[in-house]
Amino acid sequence: MTNIYDTVNQLEREFRQLPEYVQLKESMTNIKNNQESSELYHQFRNLSQEYQMRMMQGQEVSEEEMQSFQELSDKVKEDQYIQEIMKNEQLISQILNDINNIITKPLKDIYDSAL
């Protein structure tokens, strides 16, 4: 019988070899090597997470904060390094979503057949 943890560890090793993973890693290096892009990226990421967390907790984000965030978003859209990393993050996210769907298919099948 196959040890599922061995299989998952093999998946992790193969994941690191994916072109999309390599591109994401290169994109992150490009951001780290550009101080302006790096600061902008981290500011955008931190603010996005903060606002998302506040909204999930039922806290409001003020109109002024949203305007400030929109201005930051506009700057992000103009930065080629950040656009590159966001594109690569999206590709990786799709792969992870596909993997998750494959892995959880047996559970879905159980619940679907129970209905």
Side-chain angles (χ1 to χ4, degrees):
M1 182 170 185
T2 304
N3 181 333
I4 196 164
Y5 294 103
D6 291 340
T7 304
V8 171
N9 284 317
Q10 179 63 32
L11 177 62
E12 183 263 342
R13 288 188 293 275
E14 290 177 20
F15 184 83
R16 290 177 184 272
Q17 295 175 16
L18 287 173
E20 294 86 353
Y21 176 84
V22 173
Q23 290 170 351
L24 179 63
K25 194 172 177 181
E26 289 172 0
S27 295
M28 189 57 77
T29 299
N30 290 339
I31 291 238
K32 287 179 183 177
N33 291 335
N34 183 300
Q35 184 177 355
E36 184 179 328
S37 293
S38 180
E39 289 173 5
L40 186 60
Y41 176 74
H42 289 292
Q43 184 181 7
F44 179 77
R45 196 162 172 223
N46 291 339
L47 205 53
S48 295
Q49 290 173 349
E50 177 188 333
Y51 288 173
Q52 188 174 32
M53 185 65 81
R54 285 172 51 187
M55 286 188 257
M56 288 173 50
Q57 295 173 347
Q59 299 174 1
E60 290 193 26
V61 178
S62 73
E63 193 70 36
E64 184 178 292
E65 289 172 318
M66 287 307 294
Q67 177 64 32
S68 176
F69 184 72
Q70 184 59 50
E71 291 171 8
L72 181 61
S73 294
D74 292 341
K75 289 180 185 177
V76 164
K77 289 176 186 171
E78 295 173 5
D79 188 294
Q80 71 181 36
Y81 297 114
I82 296 175
Q83 287 306 301
E84 179 183 319
I85 201 166
M86 290 178 136
K87 179 188 82 167
N88 291 326
E89 285 173 338
Q90 191 172 29
L91 293 171
I92 289 291
S93 180
Q94 182 59 52
I95 291 168
L96 292 173
N97 188 48
D98 292 346
I99 291 169
N100 185 54
N101 287 338
I102 293 166
I103 291 172
T104 58
K105 186 178 183 317
L107 294 173
K108 182 182 180 309
D109 292 346
I110 289 172
Y111 290 112
D112 287 349
S113 69
L115 298 176

